[in-house]
């Protein structure tokens, strides 16, 4: 499971957590229903935002037809549940398939893991092509032309090949911004709210920028160790500038959401206005804002995993632990797919307190686990609206 928006169950509360899981399960079932069991592996946190936005804008009478009761599932402890259905879930599935297809092709081009072997690479290309065609069919069924996504992926390859020191980081993120802007804007069409298309396109554009930036920040050290291409390293962009761009994008998303007319927008607001902020903090290892000043701000000394490391070696006095332990290598595409299937089938992704990411091997919190450092009281650990004016008039229950 991948994506930058990974909310904590304590911050969501029971009602919003139920809605969030309904969209997550709806995306997974839409993939299975239209494209088979194996397609469920492309289920991701960010893709379900498409389903969330579509339902948030729909009239209540129509929204009632966008849910159904699904049968027992191991990931829900063999319980039935109300899940999202309809055009929002199908658009989310189409976008997820096309982007997953692009990701597979990218891994093949880089020769990651087992993909260095020709037979495996050939099989992976066939899977990617199949997902691309499936996404195109699903997109066409809901009136969305996935050509804009495919074009963005193709342009991304060319831009990365030409990027170098001095190239603007926003030049590198532009194709991702264009793709997400189109997907977000189409939710307004599906919901019958054409007036929302423009602000949602702006929110989607900035979300795409954030997704690209945070992925680059989180992978910077691993890419450097593996000799892989990374936009921050290639363009010579310091982390302080990346943080400034991330904070500006987050602020722009909040402003764009104020212009969107929602029928029931609490979940969409919480995910895009508040959980995204926590995603930025998590990626940069900081709770500060890039526009703040002082030693704890993003423009001060780097914090968390990006703080200056001690030059002490394994035999240096005062370093009794023998230096930093080696980090496990990322898994290849097929090995990661096998591990992901095992995590799903054994329910570890939802029932375990913590599990290892199938591809990145980073520690992830279980969907139903406790990811707050608190005693379970949401109000004691969240305070999601403190110092934030983006909730004025949005109707979200930020008081927990």
């Amino acid at each position: 499971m991948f994506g930058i928006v990974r909310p904590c169950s304590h911050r969501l509360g029971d009602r919003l957590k139920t809605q969030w899981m309904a969209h997550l399960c709806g995306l997974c079932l839409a993939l299975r229903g239209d494209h088979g069991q194996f397609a469920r592996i492309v289920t991701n946190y960010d893709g379900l935002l498409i389903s969330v936005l579509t339902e948030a804008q729909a009239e209540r009478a129509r929204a009632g037809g966008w849910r159904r009761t699904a049968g027992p599932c191991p990931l829900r402890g063999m319980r039935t549940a109300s899940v999202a259905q309809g055009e929002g879930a199908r658009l989310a599935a189409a976008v997820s398939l096309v982007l997953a297809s692009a990701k597979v092709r990218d891994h093949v081009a880089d020769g990651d893991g087992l993909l260095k072997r020709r037979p495996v690479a050939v099989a992976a290309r066939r899977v990617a092509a199949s997902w691309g065609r499936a996404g195109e069919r699903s997109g066409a069924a809901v009136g969305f032309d996935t050509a804009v996504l495919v074009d963005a992926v193709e342009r991304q390859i060319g831009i990365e090949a030409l990027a170098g020191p001095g190239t603007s980081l926003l030049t590198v993120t532009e194709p991702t911004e264009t793709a997400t802007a189109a997907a977000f804007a189409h939710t307004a069409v599906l919901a019958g709210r054409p007036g929302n298309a423009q602000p949602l396109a702006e929110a989607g554009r900035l979300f795409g920028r954030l997704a690209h930036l945070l992925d680059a920040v989180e992978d910077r050290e691993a890419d450097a160790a593996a000799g892989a291409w990374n936009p921050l390293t290639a363009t010579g962009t310091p982390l302080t500038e990346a943080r400034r761009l991330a904070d500006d994008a987050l602020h722009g998303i909040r402003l764009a959401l104020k212009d969107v007319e929602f029928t029931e927008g609490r979940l969409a607001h919480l995910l895009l206005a508040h959980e995204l902020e926590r995603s930025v903090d998590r990626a940069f290892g900081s709770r500060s804002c890039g526009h703040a000043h002082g030693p704890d701000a993003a423009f001060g000394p780097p914090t968390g995993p990006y703080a200056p490391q001690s030059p002490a070696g394994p035999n240096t006095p005062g370093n009794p632990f023998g230096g930093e332990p080696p980090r496990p290598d990322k898994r290849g595409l097929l090995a990661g797919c096998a591990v992901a299937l095992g995590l799903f089938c054994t329910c570890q992704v939802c029932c375990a307190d913590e599990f290892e990411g199938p591809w990145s091997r980073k520690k992830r919190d279980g969907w139903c686990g406790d990811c707050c450092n608190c005693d379970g009281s949401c109000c004691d650990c969240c305070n999601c609206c403190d110092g934030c004016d983006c909730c004025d008039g949005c109707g979200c229950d930020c008081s927990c």
Side-chain angles (χ1 to χ4, degrees):
M1 182 69 67
F2 56 94
I4 64 173
V5 182
R6 304 192 293 271
C8 169
S9 59
H10 288 155
R11 289 192 293 267
L12 289 176
D14 291 339
R15 186 172 64 85
L16 292 183
K17 178 184 175 182
T18 299
Q19 291 184 26
W20 187 77
M21 289 299 296
H23 288 286
L24 186 63
C25 293
L27 171 57
C28 182
L29 293 175
L31 288 165
R32 184 200 68 178
D34 291 342
H35 311 292
Q37 290 283 359
F38 187 67
R40 299 171 79 175
I41 201 169
V42 309
T43 304
N44 65 95
Y45 292 123
D46 296 344
L48 68 87
L49 286 173
I50 302 297
S51 180
V52 170
L53 285 171
T54 304
E55 187 175 281
Q57 300 170 77
E59 297 293 341
R60 293 189 182 275
R62 291 185 62 200
W66 294 39
R67 292 294 178 92
R68 69 178 178 88
T69 300
C73 175
L75 298 181
R76 294 191 298 268
M78 299 307 295
R79 295 188 298 269
T80 61
S82 174
V83 301
Q85 67 170 350
E87 294 178 329
R90 296 184 71 184
L91 175 61
V95 172
S96 297
L97 282 166
V98 173
L99 296 183
S101 171
K103 192 175 184 70
V104 171
R105 290 199 299 269
D106 186 52
H107 282 300
V108 172
D110 291 341
D112 293 336
L114 292 174
L115 294 175
K116 294 178 182 178
R117 302 179 180 179
R118 181 176 177 81
V120 178
V122 170
R125 287 193 187 96
R126 289 179 179 174
V127 171
S130 174
W131 282 350
R133 291 191 298 268
E136 183 178 358
R137 291 194 303 270
S138 291
V142 294
F144 181 66
D145 186 2
T146 59
V148 66
L149 306 183
V150 176
D151 176 69
V153 171
E154 293 176 349
R155 287 192 297 109
Q156 186 74 55
I157 297 173
I159 289 174
E160 290 181 359
L162 296 174
T167 301
S168 171
L169 192 58
L170 298 186
T171 299
V172 179
T173 63
E174 183 274 326
T176 306
E177 295 177 21
T178 301
T180 50
F184 273 45
H186 197 68
T187 65
V189 177
L190 297 182
R193 301 266 193 177
N196 286 342
Q198 184 174 350
L200 282 175
E202 177 66 6
R205 182 179 69 83
L206 295 173
F207 179 84
R209 179 183 300 178
L210 259 183
H212 203 132
L213 285 173
L214 299 191
D215 182 66
V217 170
E218 291 180 339
D219 292 346
R220 193 180 70 138
E221 292 185 351
D223 288 342
W229 193 90
N230 183 284
L232 297 179
T233 306
T235 61
T237 304
L239 286 172
T240 51
E241 174 63 10
R243 179 60 192 258
R244 185 189 68 80
L245 291 173
D247 287 335
D248 285 346
L250 181 63
H251 182 63
I253 290 172
R254 288 172 168 170
L255 292 177
L257 289 178
K258 286 187 174 183
D259 295 330
V260 179
E261 184 179 354
F262 288 117
T263 301
E264 173 52 77
R266 294 185 181 185
L267 180 59
H269 174 84
L270 186 143
L271 294 176
L272 289 171
H274 299 296
E275 289 303 326
L276 266 182
E277 180 180 17
R278 293 183 174 89
S279 298
V280 172
D281 290 333
R282 183 168 56 243
F284 285 91
S286 170
R287 291 292 299 171
S288 63
C289 171
H291 298 97
H293 299 280
D296 295 327
F299 291 106
T303 59
Y306 307 108
Q309 301 297 312
S310 170
N315 301 316
T316 303
N319 187 13
F321 301 105
E324 183 180 358
R327 299 182 180 181
D329 294 332
K330 290 183 178 181
R331 291 188 180 93
L333 172 69
L334 297 183
C337 289
V339 173
L341 287 174
L343 291 172
F344 273 89
C345 293
T346 58
C347 303
Q348 291 184 60
V349 289
C350 64
C351 300
D353 291 333
E354 190 178 73
F355 64 91
E356 187 180 79
W359 288 278
S360 67
R361 306 191 76 165
K362 296 177 182 178
K363 295 298 181 182
R364 304 293 191 192
D365 295 310
W367 296 351
C368 304
D370 177 358
C371 59
C372 272
N373 294 322
C374 62
D375 59 3
S377 172
C378 173
C379 295
D380 291 337
C381 66
C382 299
N383 298 319
C384 66
C385 296
D386 286 354
C388 171
D389 62 356
C390 66
C391 300
D392 295 343
C394 74
C396 68
D397 187 12
C398 290
S399 61
C400 300

